């Protein structure tokens, strides 16, 4: 079997693979230690590199915003613990970037010199690099289920507003039993599930289902007020 075929890739809807690891915040047992919270497990290619530094400063600056929606952050690279500690100390003590300075990374950063975790999560993608993890992002729900996966290459820093939007949108979709259209943000219309019977579909098309607008029989939307979305998401 080719190396690529032998590599496991966790998928959306599956339980997050388990592992124990050493981090900058002590040992963790993943995902058990995070049950009851949303968690973003993300990888970066290497410590002491510029794109990763800009990403860590951005993510650390947004940590409290993620905490408000019950979402914890866990980073990983195939560097060792002392490299992680030295890099995070350099960021805090020396780097000033885009108005961010004195940034302390308080979330755990996993050391994975054996690449055991990175390989388990499909973060090593040999077409991109054999020796560094790509910029993978796993969104894991409070039951430990993978709900969204996004990969970026080494040369492209992530959009952290989008990562936040994903967490909020997944939680809102769960809370209200709806789906989110392209570019959805809190306060925008949401998509109501397709009607289960012809009768309900006809009522909707005829404008008889209150608050529901149909663009066609398979595409109906309704409003959920922004404050209702935040109330549902922030209380979780
Ligand atoms: C960076 O974070 O700047 C970077 C890391 C690995 C390869 C290319 C860029």
């Amino acid at each position: 079997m080719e190396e690529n075929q032998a590599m496991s890739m966790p998928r959306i809807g599956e339980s997050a693979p388990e592992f124990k690891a050493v981090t900058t915040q002590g040992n963790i047992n993943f995902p058990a230690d995070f049950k009851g919270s949303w968690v973003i497990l993300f990888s970066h290619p290497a410590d002491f590199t510029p794109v990763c530094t800009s990403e860590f400063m951005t993510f650390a600056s947004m940590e409290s915003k993620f905490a408000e929606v019950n979402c914890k952050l866990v980073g990983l690279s195939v560097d060792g613990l002392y490299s992680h500690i030295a890099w995070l100390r350099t960021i805090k003590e020396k780097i000033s970037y885009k108005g961010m300075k004195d940034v302390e990374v308080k979330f755990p950063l996993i050391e994975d010199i054996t690449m055991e975790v990175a390989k388990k999560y499909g973060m090593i993608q040999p077409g991109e690099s054999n020796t560094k993890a790509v910029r993978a992002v796993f969104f894991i729900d409070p039951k430990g289920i993978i709900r969204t996966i996004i990969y970026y290459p080494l040369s492209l820093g992530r959009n952290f507003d989008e990562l936040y939007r994903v967490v909020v949108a997944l939680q809102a979709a769960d809370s209200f039993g709806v789906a989110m259209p392209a570019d959805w943000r809190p306060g925008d219309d949401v998509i109501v599930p397709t009607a289960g019977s012809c009768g309900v579909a006809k009522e909707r098309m005829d404008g008889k289902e209150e608050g529901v607008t149909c663009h066609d029989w398979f595409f109906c939307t309704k409003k959920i007020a922004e404050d209702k979305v935040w109330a549902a998401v922030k209380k979780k």
Side-chain angles (χ1 to χ4, degrees), residues 21-169:
V22 174
T23 84
T24 49
Q25 302 291 327
N27 295 344
I28 59 168
N29 183 6
F30 196 91
D33 289 349
F34 298 86
K35 284 261 157 77
S37 294
W38 287 77
V39 56
I40 295 180
L41 173 66
F42 70 101
S43 55
H44 70 278
D47 298 345
F48 291 101
T49 53
V51 178
C52 302
T53 299
S54 69
E55 290 192 313
F56 266 67
M57 293 183 78
T58 308
F59 228 174
S61 302
M62 293 173 73
E63 189 180 5
S64 58
K65 210 173 148 175
F66 281 91
E68 280 173 12
V69 295
N70 188 28
C71 181
K72 296 184 172 160
L73 313 177
V74 180
L76 174 150
S77 81
V78 302
D79 298 292
L81 184 63
Y82 295 108
S83 166
H84 284 342
I85 291 169
W87 179 46
L88 299 187
R89 187 182 299 151
T90 303
I91 288 176
K92 178 165 166 48
E93 292 177 358
K94 297 198 177 146
I95 313 277
S96 171
Y97 174 70
K98 278 195 164 176
M100 298 178 280
K101 63 176 193 179
D102 196 24
V103 173
E104 189 169 351
V105 174
K106 295 181 184 148
F107 56 79
L109 175 49
I110 295 168
E111 77 154 358
D112 190 28
I113 26 185
T114 61
M115 297 192 185
E116 190 189 326
V117 181
K119 285 184 178 164
K120 212 174 227 192
Y121 272 80
M123 293 165 170
I124 304 294
Q125 303 197 358
E128 184 73 343
S129 172
N130 281 313
T131 55
K132 294 175 171 63
V134 295
R135 300 180 200 280
V137 192
F138 287 84
F139 298 78
I140 297 162
D141 75 13
K143 292 183 179 148
I145 305 296
I146 296 171
R147 300 290 300 277
T148 299
I149 305 170
I150 308 177
Y151 293 110
Y152 293 70
L154 303 192
S155 58
L156 176 61
R158 287 161 271 217
N159 180 323
F160 291 88
D161 289 333
E162 169 62 2
L163 305 191
Y164 181 70
R165 190 190 76 94
V166 169
V167 174
V168 171

Side-chain angles (χ1 to χ4, degrees), residues 174-190:
D174 287 356
S175 291
F176 295 101
V178 294
M180 302 325 198
D183 296 331
W184 178 85
R185 299 218 166 246
D188 291 350
D189 288 359
V190 301

